[in-house]
Amino acid sequence: MRCPNCSNELEIFAKESEEVYVCPLCLSVLLLQESSVKILKHFCKQEVLNQLISNILDESVLRNTKEMLKAADNLACPNCKTYTKNYDFNGRLNFFANKCPQCGAIWLNSMQVPLVSIAFIENNPDDLNFKRNINNLYEILVHRRSIKPRSLDEIIAPFLAIPLSVAGAAFPISDNITVKTRSYATKGIIVTCSLIFLLDLLLIDLVPTFSLIADKVLISREWYRLITNAFLHGGIFHLLGNMWFLWVFGRSVEDRLGWNNYLFLFVLGAIFSAVLFIATTNNKSIPCVGASGTISAIIGAYLILFPKAKLRFDIYRPLSVFLPVPIQKIATTQISSMYYVLFWIIMNVFFAMLQSGSKTVGIAYWGHIGGFIAGIIFTEVYKNFRPG
């Protein structure tokens, strides 16, 4: 058998009547059966720890840690050549390895090996000492990363991210939550909204029939509008903004709730958002469209499920009014999801209060608030009353 990474012939490492196949060059490991995981601590003592120390000294791990922890895409099993699938040892890990669905073999890259070995050690002095050695190595790595020189833009970036997000000069681009599912529901909603937007733009004007119009709901009893309006958008930037926020926040929420509960939350958020909009608008004949209300429900759920998560922001230099210059990214930073979401809802309440009494409606801030409340209520119920 040959290593799928570097094509070297795999060598056998045996201990305690178990054996694994090891690449002598990249130190990746093939477990022919899951029970062989218990001998990884012996292999790490002899080989992998030395390799990790060397990588730390030349900083290759610092550059590649995130990529090295990822499961390989389209990797063929060295044992039977079947394409492998993602596997996390039944939830014991916060990352995916590669497992063959045909023969059950598990492929671990060199960065995954010591982490997997830690997850399966026993509570005895020898194993605990091994765990301390691994932890010390990772503390060294983290320390080296923390003392990397930073530019002035990077230092002030966390203080700029939230206020600049109001001006459209800072955008959340990801979080630090490990997503273990494929986010089919989130992707399906994005595709559906995009296709409906194209249909509305190019072929049929859907707004009169499917948008949220208070009089149509209250007088004509067209209840379907409470939901259908969430799939319509008023322009390309409206669509792109909503779908981007759905992607950033929705994947983690779907992963935690499951696709069926996630879709129920999406519909519930649309209804709550629409009801509060109808209750607060002074113009009962104006159409309202957009998924922002139900995305607000997902943001509310995110706050409950991941209050300690970190959101990654790209910060851009805004266009100057007097001296137009190209938009330029000046920094990337991380801030607490709790701070951002609380600021976001406070901003919506503030603008909703300013908008109260107006006959014109630009952004349905009360709809955002309604969706946000729905997300919090649903998620609290889910956390406290789910079976098991």
Side-chain angles (χ1 to χ4, degrees), residues 24 38 78 98 102 126 135 138-139 155 162 175 181 230 266 304 319 345 350:
K38 65 184 180 181
N98 291 89
Q102 181 69 27
D126 185 49
N135 285 336
Y138 278 88
E139 286 176 8
I155 293 172
I162 290 180
D175 60 16
T181 57
F266 188 88
I304 301 301
L319 287 171
I345 190 60
F350 173 76

Side-chain angles (χ1 to χ4, degrees), residues 171 186-202 206 228-248 266 289-295 362-363 368:
F171 304 94
T186 300
K187 293 176 182 177
I189 293 169
I190 292 173
V191 171
T192 301
C193 288
S194 301
L195 292 177
I196 290 175
F197 175 77
L198 291 176
L199 179 65
D200 179 57
L201 181 67
L202 302 176
L206 300 175
T228 57
N229 80 92
F231 295 92
L232 299 173
H233 290 84
I236 185 61
F237 292 109
H238 188 201
L239 173 71
L240 292 177
N242 277 345
M243 295 305 100
W244 183 254
F245 271 77
L246 177 64
W247 179 249
V248 170
F266 188 88
V289 297
S292 54
T294 192
I295 293 171
I363 299 175
H368 297 179

Side-chain angles (χ1 to χ4, degrees), residues 358-371:
S358 174
K359 289 284 187 179
T360 60
V361 178
I363 299 175
Y365 293 108
W366 284 115
H368 297 179
I369 296 166

Side-chain angles (χ1 to χ4, degrees), residues 219-276:
I219 299 174
S220 303
R221 300 294 190 266
E222 295 177 0
W223 305 112
Y224 63 89
R225 293 176 181 268
L226 298 176
I227 299 173
T228 57
N229 80 92
F231 295 92
L232 299 173
H233 290 84
I236 185 61
F237 292 109
H238 188 201
L239 173 71
L240 292 177
N242 277 345
M243 295 305 100
W244 183 254
F245 271 77
L246 177 64
W247 179 249
V248 170
F249 292 97
R251 291 174 300 160
S252 301
V253 175
E254 179 185 352
D255 183 63
R256 180 64 62 88
L257 297 180
W259 67 268
N260 50 345
N261 290 319
Y262 177 78
L263 289 178
F264 180 82
L265 171 62
F266 188 88
V267 173
L268 185 70
I271 294 173
F272 265 66
S273 171
V275 168
L276 196 55

